[in-house]
Amino acid sequence: MGTKGDNNRTRIIEAADMLFYKRGYNQTSFSDIADVTGIPRGNFYYYFKTKDDILAAVVEARIRHYEEALVECDNAADSPRERLLAFVDNMASSEDTLVESGCPIGSLCTELAKDTEALQSKSREVFGLLRDWMCRQFEEIGFSDANDKAMDMLARMQGVAVMASAFKDTEYLHRSIGDLRNWINSLTLN
Amino acid sequence: MGTKGDNNRTRIIEAADMLFYKRGYNQTSFSDIADVTGIPRGNFYYYFKTKDDILAAVVEARIRHYEEALVECDNAADSPRERLLAFVDNMASSEDTLVESGCPIGSLCTELAKDTEALQSKSREVFGLLRDWMCRQFEEIGFSDANDKAMDMLARMQGVAVMASAFKDTEYLHRSIGDLRNWINSLTLN
């Protein structure tokens, strides 16, 4: 059973998650989060002492979100290649927000790559989760360079997200997601 | 002949360029630029009224920088494919800073993709310059989808920069730049 405290904490995390994505981490203040949630700033210092604490909670929430998405991909198909394609479908379902605000994971990492090592390592945790999952799929297909392939797949997705959001180009994004599918299907064992 | 005024203006732009890259646009204040240049804030309002004006000047400076780099690529080789490879060599010469702070163009676009349309369109001008140059090279090779190829090449470079800087992984960057060269060499006319 959730208490009112749990509920407030969750609302703060959800608002921060949205604001970090739409405006950026550095452009989001405690006041902004208070405005969106309607929870007075004074009250929510009870849940989070610093913005870095909120970032940690947002990253944890995103990890849970992607863990669930990966379980869905695992359940969507028996073959590892089909599971990777299911993950691409997951990306394709967010075309509009990708064009508007870029990739939530990549844009946070890009922003925090210029910050302290502590914030950097926090922001890359979601990438680590996805890379490890993709690596397992490529291993199961039989690739000896499964980790390289996982990094390549993430890089392709990130590159497409950067260009689609820089040029605000949905048509490019759509074509590139098709190319990503073709690439996954074309990979053969040597 | 440069005047003292021109010199101050240039120093402000160079300091802002470095700070936007190393810390991010939103994390750079007028005070930071004053600290780096040693020019009192009061004085440099004479050159730039707003931070957006400084951004415009930084983008113009980057455009001139890349225009010069592209002329070097043009002069480096007779064949368009070799020119594209020369551009990749240019990227390879900045491996350390790419790992540390990501791509200066991509990270600025990613940051400003979450901002006003005016700042977004300013930040994407450098991408536009590179895309058009790459497009001309692919056209000269004979590709009918030269613009798509140019977007693909930029996306690959961006994806690699995002992952290298997120994971602070020089070895990955080095391997991926090799893959980029192989990709350019492998492209054949249908």
Side-chain angles (χ1 to χ4, degrees), chain A residues 78-134:
Chain A
D78 287 333
S79 91
R81 201 182 296 262
E82 290 293 327
R83 282 180 225 129
L84 291 167
L85 291 166
F87 187 77
V88 176
D89 289 341
N90 185 292
M91 180 191 192
S93 69
S94 313
E95 280 191 1
D96 291 345
T97 47
L98 277 174
V99 166
E100 191 185 320
S101 305
C103 169
I105 315 168
S107 59
L108 186 68
C109 279
T110 295
E111 184 179 2
L112 298 180
K114 300 180 194 291
D115 213 302
T116 63
E117 172 53 32
L119 291 190
Q120 286 175 34
S121 82
K122 196 75 217 166
S123 66
R124 83 170 68 100
E125 281 180 29
V126 189
F127 267 148
L129 172 77
L130 299 180
R131 181 199 54 196
D132 294 348
W133 179 83
M134 289 173 184

Side-chain angles (χ1 to χ4, degrees), chain A residues 11 35 45 50 74 81-82 95 112 116 119 142 148 162:
Chain A
R11 281 165 58 206
D35 287 347
Y45 281 114
T50 68
D74 282 335
R81 201 182 296 262
E82 290 293 327
E95 280 191 1
L112 298 180
T116 63
L119 291 190
D148 287 353
V162 169

Side-chain angles (χ1 to χ4, degrees), chain B residues 4-190:
Chain B
K4 188 182 170 196
D6 286 345
N7 187 30
N8 278 352
R9 193 174 188 279
T10 302
R11 282 165 59 207
I12 292 168
I13 295 169
E14 286 174 355
D17 192 346
M18 181 273 289
L19 288 165
F20 291 175
Y21 182 34
K22 299 286 183 184
R23 296 190 194 171
Y25 175 75
N26 290 315
Q27 290 302 89
T28 300
S29 67
F30 269 47
S31 294
D32 295 329
I33 302 170
D35 287 348
V36 169
T37 55
I39 299 168
R41 280 179 61 165
N43 286 24
F44 79 68
Y45 280 113
Y46 173 75
Y47 305 102
F48 300 100
K49 301 299 176 216
T50 66
K51 212 170 86 174
D52 294 5
D53 290 343
I54 301 183
L55 177 73
V58 166
V59 169
E60 291 306 320
R62 290 187 182 181
I63 284 175
R64 283 193 298 277
H65 166 81
Y66 282 101
E67 278 172 345
E68 285 169 22
L70 294 176
V71 168
E72 280 180 32
C73 294
D74 282 336
N75 294 336
D78 288 333
S79 89
R81 200 183 297 260
E82 290 294 328
R83 282 180 226 131
L84 291 167
L85 291 168
F87 187 78
V88 175
D89 289 341
N90 185 291
M91 180 191 192
S93 69
S94 313
E95 279 191 2
D96 290 345
T97 47
L98 277 174
V99 165
E100 193 185 317
S101 304
C103 169
I105 315 169
S107 60
L108 186 67
C109 280
T110 294
E111 185 178 2
L112 298 181
K114 300 178 195 291
D115 213 303
T116 63
E117 172 52 31
L119 291 190
Q120 286 175 34
S121 82
K122 198 73 216 164
S123 67
R124 83 170 67 100
E125 283 179 26
V126 190
F127 266 148
L129 172 77
L130 299 181
R131 182 200 53 197
D132 294 348
W133 180 84
M134 289 174 184
C135 184
R136 287 198 297 279
Q137 311 311 314
F138 285 113
E139 272 171 0
E140 203 178 316
I141 296 175
F143 288 105
S144 57
D145 62 344
N147 193 61
D148 287 354
K149 289 272 189 301
M151 289 291 281
D152 291 347
M153 181 165 163
L154 278 174
R156 278 169 182 258
M157 297 180 98
Q158 287 305 312
V160 166
V162 169
M163 299 309 293
S165 97
F167 284 100
K168 302 291 174 220
D169 190 339
T170 308
E171 198 179 329
Y172 158 78
L173 177 60
H174 199 73
R175 193 259 302 165
S176 297
I177 288 175
D179 289 347
L180 191 59
R181 284 202 183 87
N182 292 340
W183 175 71
I184 292 169
N185 279 319
S186 74
L187 292 170
T188 49
L189 299 170
N190 289 325

Side-chain angles (χ1 to χ4, degrees), chain A residues 14-50:
Chain A
E14 285 175 354
D17 192 346
M18 182 274 288
L19 288 165
F20 291 174
Y21 182 34
K22 298 288 181 184
R23 295 189 193 173
Y25 175 74
N26 289 315
Q27 291 301 90
T28 300
S29 67
F30 269 48
S31 294
D32 294 329
I33 302 171
D35 287 347
V36 169
T37 55
I39 299 169
R41 281 178 61 163
N43 287 24
F44 80 67
Y45 281 114
Y46 172 75
Y47 305 102
F48 300 99
K49 300 299 177 218
T50 68

